Amino acid sequence: MSTVPPITGAAPAAANPLRDDAAMGAVPTLKVMRLQAGILGSPTAGALLSSNQLLSSNLLLPDSFGVIHVGETFSAYLGVLNASNDLSVRGLSMVAQLQTPSRRILLPTALDARNNNNNSSLREVAPGEGVDALISRRLEEVGQHILRVEVSYNSNGAKTLRKFYRFNVTDPLQITTESVTRSGDATCLVSINIENVMEKQGVTGGAVAISSIGFDAADGLSAKQINVEDESDTDDPVQNITQRQSALELYDKTVILQSGDSYQYLFSVNAESEAAALRGIACGDELGKACVVFQKTMGELGKIYSSPVMCPPTAFLKEDGSQNSKFVVNGSGLSVDVAAASAQRSSSSGKGNGSLDELLPVTVEPIDPPSTMRLSAPENISLLVVNHSSQAMNLQIQMRLSRMSGVVVCGPSFITLGSVPPSGGSCTVDFRLVALVAGLFSVSGCFVVDLTTGMEVEQPVLFDVFAKLPADVSEEEEKKENFL
């Protein structure tokens, strides 16, 4: 526990010359101490400790509120003493408030008379006695905080004693979002970086142990941490009991951040509810917040959250508005972004200024495309065609051979879809593709034509595929290399 000299907020009341001794009461004394763990004492000059010993075995009680970080629980002991030898403190009541940079929070105590309508909390403290109370509150903001304590008592009328205790709250860890990668219409990969920034803020801080980390996903979403698991890990609880880890193994697996150290975590955020899975995750949607539970040197426990993580836009367009030639539709979430842009423009009843749904009123997305293809072996590819415009369209989808390389269409190169309903109307169509040359290729050359207006919508690259040689051919080439 540590005490802090208060800043008195009110001047003492003026003396009343017509004082009634029967109504006299003692003036209480207020003491405030923060409840916190001790610190390891450092040897000072002239100590009988060796010069290379950084810490002693003694625990010291700080002489101030000490270093306080966001996520920790601020606890304090409030004591009201009656130092008088013959007078009692009458009608005692105490109110504690914590003023943060953005608001003022009432801290309930057993000495607050407002907690009970019949004023049973009003106390009378006998000479030489005292009463006390504990308060606690988890700190959620960075900046200067003020603990405001107001003591009310009766002595020739109602009197008030106010004291203020200022302290600063800093961030022990800096949580940043390194990257957010979209992996389909309803999945995002989020990379979180955690850094110990105590020394950067001028605070003498030590190591921080990461007790646990999670990702609180937004409504309708779920998050899972991606780890490299040991092969020995099994789902059999009986086998896991027999393979319990030693304390040293658990310590080695604990992430301990010294001052300036950082560590990265990877999470997979997926649409979980039926509504979210049907809609998908679009650009600008909130994915959630990272939640970190940490412990400091003396075991002080804290819990902090990151800022909200948002879903990024697709890389279909560059910063100058031109189309990105390296963009691939598969796994990008492009159709979800176009649908969201169309819904937003419809709700605002206005025309977009080059919005995504105007650039791509119709989207074509491959359904579970293959990552590899055998040379000269045709494969069926299913495509989902979605009409995002506000009007029905008489559509025809074309695979133009002149725009294809390595992997080309095999069989009919165009299919008439007929009338496709507006505002998300869709249909599926199958094409046959064949790989002519071995190597890595991008499947492109897809066009959607509105047969009524003649409008053509060129689609980005549908997917990437690796065309490989048949097994018998690769075996013969391997034999030739071995022979040579």
Side-chain angles (χ1 to χ4, degrees):
M1 296 185 297
S2 58
T3 61
V4 179
I7 302 174
T8 304
N16 186 359
L18 302 177
R19 183 176 62 188
D20 185 3
D21 292 339
M24 279 290 295
V27 178
T29 301
L30 175 63
K31 295 292 184 181
V32 176
M33 294 178 285
R34 179 195 171 198
L35 302 180
Q36 60 177 324
I39 60 175
L40 292 174
S42 301
T44 58
L48 298 179
L49 299 173
S50 60
S51 58
N52 58 359
Q53 185 174 356
L54 299 179
L55 298 174
S56 72
S57 59
N58 299 325
L59 287 177
L60 301 179
L61 292 179
D63 57 357
S64 65
F65 270 7
V67 178
I68 306 178
H69 292 116
V70 172
E72 291 186 278
T73 298
F74 173 78
S75 300
Y77 170 87
L78 309 179
V80 180
L81 306 177
N82 183 3
S84 175
N85 295 326
D86 52 357
L87 295 178
S88 298
V89 176
R90 300 172 180 174
L92 178 68
S93 177
M94 180 168 60
V95 177
Q97 294 178 329
L98 181 63
Q99 183 174 335
T100 70
S102 64
R103 56 176 176 159
R104 185 178 296 184
I105 304 170
L106 179 64
L107 304 177
T109 69
L111 301 179
D112 190 351
R114 295 180 297 181
N115 292 335
N116 202 321
N117 294 330
N118 57 11
N119 289 339
S120 62
S121 295
L122 293 175
R123 303 289 185 92
E124 181 170 335
V125 183
E129 300 293 332
V131 293
D132 51 28
L134 297 178
I135 57 173
S136 63
R137 176 77 183 186
R138 192 170 72 87
L139 302 176
E140 303 173 348
E141 298 182 57
V142 175
Q144 187 181 77
H145 288 56
I146 303 177
L147 177 61
R148 308 167 66 96
V149 183
E150 179 179 323
V151 178
S152 301
Y153 61 98
N154 292 326
S155 178
N156 278 334
K159 300 290 176 55
T160 301
L161 173 65
R162 297 186 183 94
K163 292 186 178 180
F164 308 95
Y165 302 83
R166 290 188 174 92
F167 58 94
N168 195 39
V169 178
T170 60
D171 264 326
L173 303 172
Q174 183 178 3
I175 306 176
T176 56
T177 303
E178 288 294 312
S179 64
V180 180
T181 304
R182 302 179 70 166
S183 180
D185 293 341
T187 302
C188 289
L189 300 177
V190 181
S191 176
I192 299 295
N193 183 76
I194 302 177
E195 181 182 1
N196 185 345
V197 293
M198 291 187 185
E199 286 192 355
K200 291 183 178 180
Q201 298 174 349
V203 177
T204 304
V208 174
I210 306 300
S211 299
S212 65
I213 181 171
F215 193 89
D216 291 350
D219 292 341
L221 307 180
S222 63
K224 180 181 179 181
Q225 184 178 351
I226 299 178
N227 289 323
V228 180
E229 299 179 351
D230 296 335
E231 296 181 357
S232 59
D233 294 343
T234 65
D235 296 331
D236 187 1
V238 178
Q239 186 174 355
N240 288 338
I241 292 176
T242 59
Q243 296 180 355
R244 284 180 177 175
Q245 297 175 334
S246 64
L248 182 58
E249 291 174 335
L250 290 174
Y251 176 81
D252 290 339
K253 286 191 173 182
T254 302
V255 177
I256 299 178
L257 301 179
Q258 302 291 341
S259 296
D261 290 352
S262 62
Y263 200 87
Q264 286 190 350
Y265 297 86
L266 183 63
F267 295 92
S268 175
V269 182
N270 305 281
E272 182 179 34
S273 66
E274 183 178 354
L278 182 62
R279 177 185 180 274
I281 303 177
C283 169
D285 289 352
E286 181 178 340
L287 302 179
K289 299 179 181 180
C291 175
V292 180
V293 178
F294 64 92
Q295 285 183 297
K296 296 199 297 186
T297 307
M298 301 305 296
E300 305 98 313
L301 194 66
K303 183 178 182 180
I304 57 176
Y305 290 86
S306 69
S307 57
V309 180
M310 313 303 291
C311 178
T314 60
F316 171 64
L317 296 177
K318 296 181 179 180
E319 294 182 358
D320 57 0
S322 61
Q323 185 173 333
N324 185 1
S325 60
K326 298 182 180 180
F327 177 77
V328 180
V329 172
N330 180 43
S332 67
L334 176 63
S335 60
V336 179
D337 282 2
V338 175
S342 177
Q344 183 178 4
R345 187 161 59 91
S346 299
S347 62
S348 61
S349 300
K351 293 184 178 181
N353 186 14
S355 61
L356 196 58
D357 63 308
E358 290 185 331
L359 297 175
L360 288 174
V362 180
T363 58
V364 178
E365 184 175 0
I367 302 175
D368 296 328
S371 58
T372 60
M373 293 179 63
R374 291 287 182 183
L375 194 65
S376 302
E379 289 193 27
N380 287 331
I381 305 298
S382 296
L383 302 177
L384 175 65
V385 182
V386 183
N387 179 10
H388 300 282
S389 68
S390 59
Q391 302 292 330
M393 290 186 177
N394 185 19
L395 299 179
Q396 183 183 85
I397 184 170
Q398 303 175 358
M399 301 295 292
R400 298 183 179 179
L401 190 62
S402 60
R403 299 292 187 95
M404 307 182 78
S405 175
V407 178
V408 298
V409 63
C410 176
S413 61
F414 66 91
I415 297 176
T416 301
L417 305 177
S419 179
V420 179
S423 303
S426 63
C427 63
T428 58
V429 62
D430 293 338
F431 277 95
R432 287 173 65 84
L433 301 180
V434 62
L436 302 180
V437 185
L440 181 63
F441 297 97
S442 297
V443 178
S444 58
C446 180
F447 284 75
V448 179
V449 180
D450 185 356
L451 299 180
T452 303
T453 63
M455 178 184 64
E456 294 185 356
V457 181
E458 182 180 1
Q459 300 296 313
V461 174
L462 297 181
F463 63 96
D464 292 329
V465 64
F466 180 73
K468 56 184 181 180
L469 296 174
D472 52 351
V473 176
S474 59
E475 290 177 358
E476 291 181 2
E477 291 186 353
E478 185 178 356
K479 290 180 181 179
K480 291 180 180 179
E481 292 179 357
N482 293 336
F483 177 77
L484 296 176

